[in-house]
Amino acid sequence: MSDTRDPGWPGFVNTRDLGGIPLTGGGTTAYGVFTRSADPAGGDWDAARAAGVRTVVDLRWPSERGLSIPGVTVVHVDLDDSADVAFWDDLRATGAFGTPLQYRPFLAAKAAKVAEVFSALAAAEQGVVFHCALGRDRTGLVALLLLSLAGVPAEVIADDYELSTAALSPFFTSQGRDDHGPFIANLLAERGVTAREVILDVLRDLDAAKYLLDAGVSASDVEKLRSALRTGAASPSGG
């Protein structure tokens, strides 16, 4: 994918516009509508605001949340439903936690939380930055659903998911932390799969529009989100 998806805002990590991505049947998704990111607390918000960012949707637990951002509306949605400790303990016990293997059980069990996020995205003033801590798992699931809803081919959605592994590697190094990428790859290899194969499996039978409607997102909001990504701004959100 083109590096024009990187808005180039200083201090932002694992950040990319959901614009410029090929659509099934031709054309590309719109720039400047939705941008995915890791925790943007240390980012240059003057640059982000100048590029048109007006809303942040923070997907993290209440205990993870940071400070308010001047000039930007911040909406909090605890996508993980962090109070449901038993659900996450079960995923940890199976080894799925923190890998794309958690997506299928999460989508099955937490449709109401997904609906809360997508209703917030539809209500938000564009452009929107949505993020979690690393911009990989929670953010990755929301990006997967948005891109699928817009009509991006599954292979291309898998491409986008895989970009986070390389994007986060220098971040882990800068923080003196172990890189999660090799650990996750090894864990998945022990199960005979790759992250890409898991993402493609999730998408194989996923009808994003039907899922969101069944989850409780209004038909008007589903269409608003689909239309925004397909027909919104036509140029990169920043340089």
Side-chain angles (χ1 to χ4, degrees), residues 57 59 75-80 106-107 109-123 141-142 145-146 208-219 221-222 225:
V57 176
L59 307 172
V75 179
H76 296 288
V77 182
D78 177 6
L79 174 59
D80 274 352
F106 185 90
L107 287 169
K110 300 298 178 183
K113 297 304 294 185
V114 174
E116 189 177 348
V117 171
F118 276 74
S119 295
L121 291 172
L141 181 61
V142 172
L145 286 165
L146 279 171
K210 183 178 186 303
Y211 176 84
L212 293 171
L213 290 168
D214 290 347
V217 184
S218 71
D221 280 351
V222 169
L225 291 167

PDB file of all heavy atoms in Angstrom, residues 57 59 75-80 106-107 109-123 141-142 145-146 208-219 221-222 225:
ATOM      1  N   VAL A  57     -11.934   8.836  18.801  1.00  0.00           N
ATOM      2  CA  VAL A  57     -12.691   7.765  19.461  1.00  0.00           C
ATOM      3  C   VAL A  57     -11.661   6.851  20.124  1.00  0.00           C
ATOM      4  O   VAL A  57     -10.896   6.167  19.451  1.00  0.00           O
ATOM      5  CB  VAL A  57     -13.584   6.992  18.477  1.00  0.00           C
ATOM      6  CG1 VAL A  57     -14.279   5.831  19.185  1.00  0.00           C
ATOM      7  CG2 VAL A  57     -14.623   7.926  17.857  1.00  0.00           C
ATOM      8  N   LEU A  59     -10.742   3.718  22.232  1.00  0.00           N
ATOM      9  CA  LEU A  59     -11.322   2.388  22.437  1.00  0.00           C
ATOM     10  C   LEU A  59     -10.839   1.712  23.711  1.00  0.00           C
ATOM     11  O   LEU A  59     -11.169   0.553  23.959  1.00  0.00           O
ATOM     12  CB  LEU A  59     -10.968   1.492  21.239  1.00  0.00           C
ATOM     13  CG  LEU A  59     -11.323   2.038  19.853  1.00  0.00           C
ATOM     14  CD1 LEU A  59     -10.744   1.142  18.771  1.00  0.00           C
ATOM     15  CD2 LEU A  59     -12.833   2.167  19.688  1.00  0.00           C
ATOM     16  N   VAL A  75     -14.250  10.943  22.369  1.00  0.00           N
ATOM     17  CA  VAL A  75     -15.342  10.049  22.731  1.00  0.00           C
ATOM     18  C   VAL A  75     -14.727   8.754  23.251  1.00  0.00           C
ATOM     19  O   VAL A  75     -13.869   8.162  22.589  1.00  0.00           O
ATOM     20  CB  VAL A  75     -16.248   9.753  21.519  1.00  0.00           C
ATOM     21  CG1 VAL A  75     -17.376   8.806  21.917  1.00  0.00           C
ATOM     22  CG2 VAL A  75     -16.797  11.047  20.924  1.00  0.00           C
ATOM     23  N   HIS A  76     -15.151   8.315  24.424  1.00  0.00           N
ATOM     24  CA  HIS A  76     -14.618   7.096  25.021  1.00  0.00           C
ATOM     25  C   HIS A  76     -15.609   5.947  24.886  1.00  0.00           C
ATOM     26  O   HIS A  76     -16.773   6.082  25.258  1.00  0.00           O
ATOM     27  CB  HIS A  76     -14.330   7.312  26.513  1.00  0.00           C
ATOM     28  CG  HIS A  76     -13.264   8.329  26.780  1.00  0.00           C
ATOM     29  ND1 HIS A  76     -11.938   8.092  26.518  1.00  0.00           N
ATOM     30  CD2 HIS A  76     -13.339   9.589  27.278  1.00  0.00           C
ATOM     31  CE1 HIS A  76     -11.226   9.159  26.863  1.00  0.00           C
ATOM     32  NE2 HIS A  76     -12.050  10.082  27.311  1.00  0.00           N
ATOM     33  N   VAL A  77     -15.132   4.832  24.353  1.00  0.00           N
ATOM     34  CA  VAL A  77     -15.922   3.609  24.309  1.00  0.00           C
ATOM     35  C   VAL A  77     -15.014   2.456  24.730  1.00  0.00           C
ATOM     36  O   VAL A  77     -14.005   2.189  24.067  1.00  0.00           O
ATOM     37  CB  VAL A  77     -16.489   3.315  22.902  1.00  0.00           C
ATOM     38  CG1 VAL A  77     -17.340   2.047  22.950  1.00  0.00           C
ATOM     39  CG2 VAL A  77     -17.312   4.481  22.367  1.00  0.00           C
ATOM     40  N   ASP A  78     -15.349   1.802  25.806  1.00  0.00           N
ATOM     41  CA  ASP A  78     -14.573   0.654  26.279  1.00  0.00           C
ATOM     42  C   ASP A  78     -14.932  -0.556  25.423  1.00  0.00           C
ATOM     43  O   ASP A  78     -15.768  -1.379  25.788  1.00  0.00           O
ATOM     44  CB  ASP A  78     -14.891   0.411  27.758  1.00  0.00           C
ATOM     45  CG  ASP A  78     -14.196  -0.803  28.353  1.00  0.00           C
ATOM     46  OD1 ASP A  78     -13.365  -1.422  27.655  1.00  0.00           O
ATOM     47  OD2 ASP A  78     -14.503  -1.145  29.505  1.00  0.00           O
ATOM     48  N   LEU A  79     -14.298  -0.650  24.262  1.00  0.00           N
ATOM     49  CA  LEU A  79     -14.635  -1.714  23.325  1.00  0.00           C
ATOM     50  C   LEU A  79     -14.472  -3.093  23.948  1.00  0.00           C
ATOM     51  O   LEU A  79     -15.279  -3.997  23.707  1.00  0.00           O
ATOM     52  CB  LEU A  79     -13.759  -1.604  22.069  1.00  0.00           C
ATOM     53  CG  LEU A  79     -13.901  -2.742  21.030  1.00  0.00           C
ATOM     54  CD1 LEU A  79     -15.335  -2.845  20.523  1.00  0.00           C
ATOM     55  CD2 LEU A  79     -12.932  -2.531  19.876  1.00  0.00           C
ATOM     56  N   ASP A  80     -13.450  -3.285  24.750  1.00  0.00           N
ATOM     57  CA  ASP A  80     -13.178  -4.600  25.328  1.00  0.00           C
ATOM     58  C   ASP A  80     -14.220  -5.055  26.340  1.00  0.00           C
ATOM     59  O   ASP A  80     -14.237  -6.234  26.713  1.00  0.00           O
ATOM     60  CB  ASP A  80     -11.809  -4.601  26.024  1.00  0.00           C
ATOM     61  CG  ASP A  80     -10.671  -4.914  25.076  1.00  0.00           C
ATOM     62  OD1 ASP A  80     -10.934  -5.285  23.918  1.00  0.00           O
ATOM     63  OD2 ASP A  80      -9.510  -4.786  25.503  1.00  0.00           O
ATOM     64  N   PHE A 106     -14.649 -12.655  19.997  1.00  0.00           N
ATOM     65  CA  PHE A 106     -15.056 -11.311  20.395  1.00  0.00           C
ATOM     66  C   PHE A 106     -16.277 -10.848  19.592  1.00  0.00           C
ATOM     67  O   PHE A 106     -17.245 -10.328  20.165  1.00  0.00           O
ATOM     68  CB  PHE A 106     -13.907 -10.325  20.204  1.00  0.00           C
ATOM     69  CG  PHE A 106     -14.234  -8.951  20.721  1.00  0.00           C
ATOM     70  CD1 PHE A 106     -13.954  -8.612  22.030  1.00  0.00           C
ATOM     71  CD2 PHE A 106     -14.846  -8.007  19.908  1.00  0.00           C
ATOM     72  CE1 PHE A 106     -14.278  -7.356  22.526  1.00  0.00           C
ATOM     73  CE2 PHE A 106     -15.173  -6.755  20.391  1.00  0.00           C
ATOM     74  CZ  PHE A 106     -14.893  -6.427  21.706  1.00  0.00           C
ATOM     75  N   LEU A 107     -16.236 -11.019  18.292  1.00  0.00           N
ATOM     76  CA  LEU A 107     -17.372 -10.604  17.468  1.00  0.00           C
ATOM     77  C   LEU A 107     -18.645 -11.333  17.868  1.00  0.00           C
ATOM     78  O   LEU A 107     -19.742 -10.756  17.844  1.00  0.00           O
ATOM     79  CB  LEU A 107     -17.062 -10.848  15.989  1.00  0.00           C
ATOM     80  CG  LEU A 107     -16.060  -9.886  15.353  1.00  0.00           C
ATOM     81  CD1 LEU A 107     -15.634 -10.393  13.977  1.00  0.00           C
ATOM     82  CD2 LEU A 107     -16.623  -8.482  15.246  1.00  0.00           C
ATOM     83  N   ALA A 109     -19.339 -12.541  20.925  1.00  0.00           N
ATOM     84  CA  ALA A 109     -19.770 -12.252  22.301  1.00  0.00           C
ATOM     85  C   ALA A 109     -20.041 -10.780  22.573  1.00  0.00           C
ATOM     86  O   ALA A 109     -20.797 -10.458  23.498  1.00  0.00           O
ATOM     87  CB  ALA A 109     -18.714 -12.761  23.284  1.00  0.00           C
ATOM     88  N   LYS A 110     -19.433  -9.883  21.800  1.00  0.00           N
ATOM     89  CA  LYS A 110     -19.435  -8.463  22.163  1.00  0.00           C
ATOM     90  C   LYS A 110     -20.030  -7.566  21.071  1.00  0.00           C
ATOM     91  O   LYS A 110     -19.574  -6.435  20.864  1.00  0.00           O
ATOM     92  CB  LYS A 110     -18.011  -8.014  22.494  1.00  0.00           C
ATOM     93  CG  LYS A 110     -17.386  -8.769  23.663  1.00  0.00           C
ATOM     94  CD  LYS A 110     -18.168  -8.535  24.953  1.00  0.00           C
ATOM     95  CE  LYS A 110     -17.589  -9.313  26.115  1.00  0.00           C
ATOM     96  NZ  LYS A 110     -18.410  -9.126  27.355  1.00  0.00           N
ATOM     97  N   ALA A 111     -21.068  -8.044  20.425  1.00  0.00           N
ATOM     98  CA  ALA A 111     -21.680  -7.257  19.354  1.00  0.00           C
ATOM     99  C   ALA A 111     -22.183  -5.910  19.859  1.00  0.00           C
ATOM    100  O   ALA A 111     -22.102  -4.901  19.155  1.00  0.00           O
ATOM    101  CB  ALA A 111     -22.821  -8.042  18.715  1.00  0.00           C
ATOM    102  N   ALA A 112     -22.693  -5.869  21.088  1.00  0.00           N
ATOM    103  CA  ALA A 112     -23.226  -4.616  21.620  1.00  0.00           C
ATOM    104  C   ALA A 112     -22.132  -3.569  21.774  1.00  0.00           C
ATOM    105  O   ALA A 112     -22.357  -2.372  21.537  1.00  0.00           O
ATOM    106  CB  ALA A 112     -23.919  -4.855  22.959  1.00  0.00           C
ATOM    107  N   LYS A 113     -20.933  -3.989  22.176  1.00  0.00           N
ATOM    108  CA  LYS A 113     -19.819  -3.042  22.302  1.00  0.00           C
ATOM    109  C   LYS A 113     -19.358  -2.566  20.931  1.00  0.00           C
ATOM    110  O   LYS A 113     -19.024  -1.385  20.757  1.00  0.00           O
ATOM    111  CB  LYS A 113     -18.660  -3.687  23.054  1.00  0.00           C
ATOM    112  CG  LYS A 113     -18.957  -4.074  24.484  1.00  0.00           C
ATOM    113  CD  LYS A 113     -19.453  -2.907  25.329  1.00  0.00           C
ATOM    114  CE  LYS A 113     -18.401  -1.831  25.520  1.00  0.00           C
ATOM    115  NZ  LYS A 113     -18.849  -0.770  26.446  1.00  0.00           N
ATOM    116  N   VAL A 114     -19.344  -3.475  19.959  1.00  0.00           N
ATOM    117  CA  VAL A 114     -19.000  -3.071  18.593  1.00  0.00           C
ATOM    118  C   VAL A 114     -20.014  -2.046  18.090  1.00  0.00           C
ATOM    119  O   VAL A 114     -19.651  -1.032  17.477  1.00  0.00           O
ATOM    120  CB  VAL A 114     -18.948  -4.295  17.659  1.00  0.00           C
ATOM    121  CG1 VAL A 114     -18.726  -3.852  16.212  1.00  0.00           C
ATOM    122  CG2 VAL A 114     -17.849  -5.260  18.083  1.00  0.00           C
ATOM    123  N   ALA A 115     -21.291  -2.292  18.353  1.00  0.00           N
ATOM    124  CA  ALA A 115     -22.326  -1.351  17.928  1.00  0.00           C
ATOM    125  C   ALA A 115     -22.133   0.012  18.560  1.00  0.00           C
ATOM    126  O   ALA A 115     -22.331   1.055  17.911  1.00  0.00           O
ATOM    127  CB  ALA A 115     -23.706  -1.909  18.284  1.00  0.00           C
ATOM    128  N   GLU A 116     -21.714   0.033  19.822  1.00  0.00           N
ATOM    129  CA  GLU A 116     -21.475   1.304  20.500  1.00  0.00           C
ATOM    130  C   GLU A 116     -20.370   2.101  19.806  1.00  0.00           C
ATOM    131  O   GLU A 116     -20.481   3.320  19.613  1.00  0.00           O
ATOM    132  CB  GLU A 116     -21.105   1.048  21.958  1.00  0.00           C
ATOM    133  CG  GLU A 116     -21.034   2.295  22.819  1.00  0.00           C
ATOM    134  CD  GLU A 116     -20.724   1.994  24.267  1.00  0.00           C
ATOM    135  OE1 GLU A 116     -20.783   0.818  24.671  1.00  0.00           O
ATOM    136  OE2 GLU A 116     -20.424   2.957  25.007  1.00  0.00           O
ATOM    137  N   VAL A 117     -19.309   1.396  19.404  1.00  0.00           N
ATOM    138  CA  VAL A 117     -18.214   2.061  18.695  1.00  0.00           C
ATOM    139  C   VAL A 117     -18.693   2.605  17.359  1.00  0.00           C
ATOM    140  O   VAL A 117     -18.421   3.770  17.004  1.00  0.00           O
ATOM    141  CB  VAL A 117     -17.040   1.083  18.476  1.00  0.00           C
ATOM    142  CG1 VAL A 117     -15.998   1.706  17.549  1.00  0.00           C
ATOM    143  CG2 VAL A 117     -16.405   0.714  19.801  1.00  0.00           C
ATOM    144  N   PHE A 118     -19.405   1.792  16.599  1.00  0.00           N
ATOM    145  CA  PHE A 118     -19.787   2.221  15.256  1.00  0.00           C
ATOM    146  C   PHE A 118     -20.859   3.299  15.278  1.00  0.00           C
ATOM    147  O   PHE A 118     -20.886   4.164  14.399  1.00  0.00           O
ATOM    148  CB  PHE A 118     -20.182   1.003  14.410  1.00  0.00           C
ATOM    149  CG  PHE A 118     -18.983   0.347  13.799  1.00  0.00           C
ATOM    150  CD1 PHE A 118     -18.127  -0.414  14.574  1.00  0.00           C
ATOM    151  CD2 PHE A 118     -18.667   0.529  12.466  1.00  0.00           C
ATOM    152  CE1 PHE A 118     -16.985  -0.990  14.029  1.00  0.00           C
ATOM    153  CE2 PHE A 118     -17.532  -0.033  11.906  1.00  0.00           C
ATOM    154  CZ  PHE A 118     -16.694  -0.800  12.697  1.00  0.00           C
ATOM    155  N   SER A 119     -21.697   3.297  16.274  1.00  0.00           N
ATOM    156  CA  SER A 119     -22.646   4.404  16.425  1.00  0.00           C
ATOM    157  C   SER A 119     -21.895   5.691  16.757  1.00  0.00           C
ATOM    158  O   SER A 119     -22.239   6.774  16.260  1.00  0.00           O
ATOM    159  CB  SER A 119     -23.664   4.073  17.523  1.00  0.00           C
ATOM    160  OG  SER A 119     -24.458   2.959  17.152  1.00  0.00           O
ATOM    161  N   ALA A 120     -20.843   5.582  17.563  1.00  0.00           N
ATOM    162  CA  ALA A 120     -20.019   6.754  17.886  1.00  0.00           C
ATOM    163  C   ALA A 120     -19.274   7.261  16.664  1.00  0.00           C
ATOM    164  O   ALA A 120     -19.167   8.479  16.442  1.00  0.00           O
ATOM    165  CB  ALA A 120     -19.032   6.402  18.999  1.00  0.00           C
ATOM    166  N   LEU A 121     -18.751   6.357  15.856  1.00  0.00           N
ATOM    167  CA  LEU A 121     -18.063   6.765  14.628  1.00  0.00           C
ATOM    168  C   LEU A 121     -19.012   7.485  13.679  1.00  0.00           C
ATOM    169  O   LEU A 121     -18.642   8.482  13.042  1.00  0.00           O
ATOM    170  CB  LEU A 121     -17.460   5.540  13.931  1.00  0.00           C
ATOM    171  CG  LEU A 121     -16.281   4.863  14.624  1.00  0.00           C
ATOM    172  CD1 LEU A 121     -15.931   3.561  13.903  1.00  0.00           C
ATOM    173  CD2 LEU A 121     -15.064   5.776  14.680  1.00  0.00           C
ATOM    174  N   ALA A 122     -20.230   6.982  13.583  1.00  0.00           N
ATOM    175  CA  ALA A 122     -21.206   7.603  12.684  1.00  0.00           C
ATOM    176  C   ALA A 122     -21.628   8.981  13.175  1.00  0.00           C
ATOM    177  O   ALA A 122     -21.896   9.884  12.372  1.00  0.00           O
ATOM    178  CB  ALA A 122     -22.430   6.692  12.544  1.00  0.00           C
ATOM    179  N   ALA A 123     -21.676   9.161  14.499  1.00  0.00           N
ATOM    180  CA  ALA A 123     -22.110  10.440  15.073  1.00  0.00           C
ATOM    181  C   ALA A 123     -20.994  11.474  15.103  1.00  0.00           C
ATOM    182  O   ALA A 123     -21.255  12.669  15.248  1.00  0.00           O
ATOM    183  CB  ALA A 123     -22.634  10.219  16.494  1.00  0.00           C
ATOM    184  N   LEU A 141      -9.530  -4.429  14.751  1.00  0.00           N
ATOM    185  CA  LEU A 141     -10.855  -5.003  14.527  1.00  0.00           C
ATOM    186  C   LEU A 141     -11.811  -3.960  13.967  1.00  0.00           C
ATOM    187  O   LEU A 141     -12.586  -4.241  13.043  1.00  0.00           O
ATOM    188  CB  LEU A 141     -11.398  -5.566  15.836  1.00  0.00           C
ATOM    189  CG  LEU A 141     -12.779  -6.217  15.743  1.00  0.00           C
ATOM    190  CD1 LEU A 141     -12.766  -7.400  14.776  1.00  0.00           C
ATOM    191  CD2 LEU A 141     -13.267  -6.667  17.108  1.00  0.00           C
ATOM    192  N   VAL A 142     -11.756  -2.744  14.515  1.00  0.00           N
ATOM    193  CA  VAL A 142     -12.628  -1.681  13.999  1.00  0.00           C
ATOM    194  C   VAL A 142     -12.265  -1.357  12.554  1.00  0.00           C
ATOM    195  O   VAL A 142     -13.160  -1.193  11.700  1.00  0.00           O
ATOM    196  CB  VAL A 142     -12.522  -0.428  14.893  1.00  0.00           C
ATOM    197  CG1 VAL A 142     -13.266   0.749  14.274  1.00  0.00           C
ATOM    198  CG2 VAL A 142     -13.072  -0.732  16.292  1.00  0.00           C
ATOM    199  N   LEU A 145     -13.638  -4.064  10.193  1.00  0.00           N
ATOM    200  CA  LEU A 145     -15.075  -3.935   9.934  1.00  0.00           C
ATOM    201  C   LEU A 145     -15.386  -2.740   9.037  1.00  0.00           C
ATOM    202  O   LEU A 145     -16.230  -2.834   8.128  1.00  0.00           O
ATOM    203  CB  LEU A 145     -15.824  -3.819  11.252  1.00  0.00           C
ATOM    204  CG  LEU A 145     -15.956  -5.113  12.054  1.00  0.00           C
ATOM    205  CD1 LEU A 145     -16.392  -4.807  13.486  1.00  0.00           C
ATOM    206  CD2 LEU A 145     -16.951  -6.062  11.394  1.00  0.00           C
ATOM    207  N   LEU A 146     -14.724  -1.612   9.270  1.00  0.00           N
ATOM    208  CA  LEU A 146     -14.953  -0.438   8.425  1.00  0.00           C
ATOM    209  C   LEU A 146     -14.574  -0.711   6.979  1.00  0.00           C
ATOM    210  O   LEU A 146     -15.326  -0.371   6.049  1.00  0.00           O
ATOM    211  CB  LEU A 146     -14.141   0.747   8.944  1.00  0.00           C
ATOM    212  CG  LEU A 146     -14.708   1.544  10.115  1.00  0.00           C
ATOM    213  CD1 LEU A 146     -13.668   2.536  10.622  1.00  0.00           C
ATOM    214  CD2 LEU A 146     -15.992   2.282   9.705  1.00  0.00           C
ATOM    215  N   ALA A 208     -20.238  -7.504   6.898  1.00  0.00           N
ATOM    216  CA  ALA A 208     -20.075  -6.441   7.879  1.00  0.00           C
ATOM    217  C   ALA A 208     -21.362  -5.657   8.096  1.00  0.00           C
ATOM    218  O   ALA A 208     -21.712  -5.330   9.237  1.00  0.00           O
ATOM    219  CB  ALA A 208     -18.944  -5.511   7.460  1.00  0.00           C
ATOM    220  N   ALA A 209     -22.061  -5.349   7.019  1.00  0.00           N
ATOM    221  CA  ALA A 209     -23.296  -4.581   7.163  1.00  0.00           C
ATOM    222  C   ALA A 209     -24.330  -5.348   7.985  1.00  0.00           C
ATOM    223  O   ALA A 209     -24.950  -4.801   8.901  1.00  0.00           O
ATOM    224  CB  ALA A 209     -23.864  -4.236   5.785  1.00  0.00           C
ATOM    225  N   LYS A 210     -24.508  -6.622   7.667  1.00  0.00           N
ATOM    226  CA  LYS A 210     -25.475  -7.435   8.418  1.00  0.00           C
ATOM    227  C   LYS A 210     -25.058  -7.565   9.873  1.00  0.00           C
ATOM    228  O   LYS A 210     -25.896  -7.475  10.783  1.00  0.00           O
ATOM    229  CB  LYS A 210     -25.617  -8.815   7.781  1.00  0.00           C
ATOM    230  CG  LYS A 210     -26.661  -9.702   8.468  1.00  0.00           C
ATOM    231  CD  LYS A 210     -26.797 -11.035   7.779  1.00  0.00           C
ATOM    232  CE  LYS A 210     -27.949 -11.838   8.394  1.00  0.00           C
ATOM    233  NZ  LYS A 210     -27.791 -12.040   9.853  1.00  0.00           N
ATOM    234  N   TYR A 211     -23.767  -7.780  10.102  1.00  0.00           N
ATOM    235  CA  TYR A 211     -23.292  -7.905  11.474  1.00  0.00           C
ATOM    236  C   TYR A 211     -23.611  -6.640  12.275  1.00  0.00           C
ATOM    237  O   TYR A 211     -24.126  -6.709  13.400  1.00  0.00           O
ATOM    238  CB  TYR A 211     -21.788  -8.170  11.503  1.00  0.00           C
ATOM    239  CG  TYR A 211     -21.231  -8.208  12.907  1.00  0.00           C
ATOM    240  CD1 TYR A 211     -21.293  -9.369  13.667  1.00  0.00           C
ATOM    241  CD2 TYR A 211     -20.699  -7.058  13.495  1.00  0.00           C
ATOM    242  CE1 TYR A 211     -20.821  -9.390  14.982  1.00  0.00           C
ATOM    243  CE2 TYR A 211     -20.230  -7.074  14.806  1.00  0.00           C
ATOM    244  CZ  TYR A 211     -20.297  -8.245  15.541  1.00  0.00           C
ATOM    245  OH  TYR A 211     -19.849  -8.249  16.839  1.00  0.00           O
ATOM    246  N   LEU A 212     -23.309  -5.479  11.709  1.00  0.00           N
ATOM    247  CA  LEU A 212     -23.534  -4.226  12.427  1.00  0.00           C
ATOM    248  C   LEU A 212     -25.017  -3.969  12.652  1.00  0.00           C
ATOM    249  O   LEU A 212     -25.418  -3.511  13.733  1.00  0.00           O
ATOM    250  CB  LEU A 212     -22.893  -3.076  11.660  1.00  0.00           C
ATOM    251  CG  LEU A 212     -21.364  -3.111  11.592  1.00  0.00           C
ATOM    252  CD1 LEU A 212     -20.844  -2.048  10.625  1.00  0.00           C
ATOM    253  CD2 LEU A 212     -20.742  -2.918  12.974  1.00  0.00           C
ATOM    254  N   LEU A 213     -25.826  -4.261  11.657  1.00  0.00           N
ATOM    255  CA  LEU A 213     -27.271  -4.092  11.822  1.00  0.00           C
ATOM    256  C   LEU A 213     -27.809  -5.013  12.910  1.00  0.00           C
ATOM    257  O   LEU A 213     -28.587  -4.588  13.771  1.00  0.00           O
ATOM    258  CB  LEU A 213     -27.985  -4.369  10.497  1.00  0.00           C
ATOM    259  CG  LEU A 213     -27.776  -3.327   9.393  1.00  0.00           C
ATOM    260  CD1 LEU A 213     -28.284  -3.865   8.059  1.00  0.00           C
ATOM    261  CD2 LEU A 213     -28.486  -2.023   9.737  1.00  0.00           C
ATOM    262  N   ASP A 214     -27.391  -6.277  12.873  1.00  0.00           N
ATOM    263  CA  ASP A 214     -27.831  -7.234  13.895  1.00  0.00           C
ATOM    264  C   ASP A 214     -27.330  -6.827  15.281  1.00  0.00           C
ATOM    265  O   ASP A 214     -27.983  -7.104  16.290  1.00  0.00           O
ATOM    266  CB  ASP A 214     -27.335  -8.639  13.562  1.00  0.00           C
ATOM    267  CG  ASP A 214     -28.037  -9.246  12.360  1.00  0.00           C
ATOM    268  OD1 ASP A 214     -29.075  -8.701  11.931  1.00  0.00           O
ATOM    269  OD2 ASP A 214     -27.533 -10.269  11.839  1.00  0.00           O
ATOM    270  N   ALA A 215     -26.171  -6.162  15.324  1.00  0.00           N
ATOM    271  CA  ALA A 215     -25.597  -5.736  16.597  1.00  0.00           C
ATOM    272  C   ALA A 215     -26.357  -4.556  17.203  1.00  0.00           C
ATOM    273  O   ALA A 215     -26.226  -4.284  18.400  1.00  0.00           O
ATOM    274  CB  ALA A 215     -24.131  -5.362  16.411  1.00  0.00           C
ATOM    275  N   GLY A 216     -27.108  -3.843  16.370  1.00  0.00           N
ATOM    276  CA  GLY A 216     -27.888  -2.717  16.871  1.00  0.00           C
ATOM    277  C   GLY A 216     -27.537  -1.367  16.290  1.00  0.00           C
ATOM    278  O   GLY A 216     -28.080  -0.344  16.714  1.00  0.00           O
ATOM    279  N   VAL A 217     -26.615  -1.322  15.316  1.00  0.00           N
ATOM    280  CA  VAL A 217     -26.314  -0.064  14.635  1.00  0.00           C
ATOM    281  C   VAL A 217     -27.466   0.240  13.674  1.00  0.00           C
ATOM    282  O   VAL A 217     -27.935  -0.647  12.963  1.00  0.00           O
ATOM    283  CB  VAL A 217     -24.988  -0.153  13.861  1.00  0.00           C
ATOM    284  CG1 VAL A 217     -24.642   1.193  13.228  1.00  0.00           C
ATOM    285  CG2 VAL A 217     -23.855  -0.607  14.780  1.00  0.00           C
ATOM    286  N   SER A 218     -27.915   1.482  13.647  1.00  0.00           N
ATOM    287  CA  SER A 218     -29.046   1.822  12.785  1.00  0.00           C
ATOM    288  C   SER A 218     -28.666   1.705  11.316  1.00  0.00           C
ATOM    289  O   SER A 218     -27.494   1.868  10.937  1.00  0.00           O
ATOM    290  CB  SER A 218     -29.532   3.241  13.069  1.00  0.00           C
ATOM    291  OG  SER A 218     -28.589   4.193  12.608  1.00  0.00           O
ATOM    292  N   ALA A 219     -29.662   1.429  10.479  1.00  0.00           N
ATOM    293  CA  ALA A 219     -29.415   1.315   9.038  1.00  0.00           C
ATOM    294  C   ALA A 219     -28.860   2.612   8.478  1.00  0.00           C
ATOM    295  O   ALA A 219     -27.985   2.604   7.606  1.00  0.00           O
ATOM    296  CB  ALA A 219     -30.712   0.930   8.323  1.00  0.00           C
ATOM    297  N   ASP A 221     -26.972   4.783  10.066  1.00  0.00           N
ATOM    298  CA  ASP A 221     -25.576   4.917  10.469  1.00  0.00           C
ATOM    299  C   ASP A 221     -24.670   3.981   9.672  1.00  0.00           C
ATOM    300  O   ASP A 221     -23.550   4.354   9.298  1.00  0.00           O
ATOM    301  CB  ASP A 221     -25.414   4.636  11.964  1.00  0.00           C
ATOM    302  CG  ASP A 221     -25.798   5.824  12.834  1.00  0.00           C
ATOM    303  OD1 ASP A 221     -26.032   6.921  12.269  1.00  0.00           O
ATOM    304  OD2 ASP A 221     -25.858   5.665  14.066  1.00  0.00           O
ATOM    305  N   VAL A 222     -25.134   2.779   9.404  1.00  0.00           N
ATOM    306  CA  VAL A 222     -24.352   1.845   8.587  1.00  0.00           C
ATOM    307  C   VAL A 222     -24.122   2.437   7.209  1.00  0.00           C
ATOM    308  O   VAL A 222     -22.992   2.435   6.689  1.00  0.00           O
ATOM    309  CB  VAL A 222     -25.062   0.478   8.482  1.00  0.00           C
ATOM    310  CG1 VAL A 222     -24.396  -0.396   7.419  1.00  0.00           C
ATOM    311  CG2 VAL A 222     -25.039  -0.240   9.828  1.00  0.00           C
ATOM    312  N   LEU A 225     -21.627   5.445   7.305  1.00  0.00           N
ATOM    313  CA  LEU A 225     -20.230   5.034   7.409  1.00  0.00           C
ATOM    314  C   LEU A 225     -19.717   4.478   6.079  1.00  0.00           C
ATOM    315  O   LEU A 225     -18.609   4.808   5.639  1.00  0.00           O
ATOM    316  CB  LEU A 225     -20.074   3.983   8.504  1.00  0.00           C
ATOM    317  CG  LEU A 225     -20.292   4.491   9.931  1.00  0.00           C
ATOM    318  CD1 LEU A 225     -20.429   3.321  10.899  1.00  0.00           C
ATOM    319  CD2 LEU A 225     -19.153   5.401  10.357  1.00  0.00           C
TER     320      LEU A 225
END
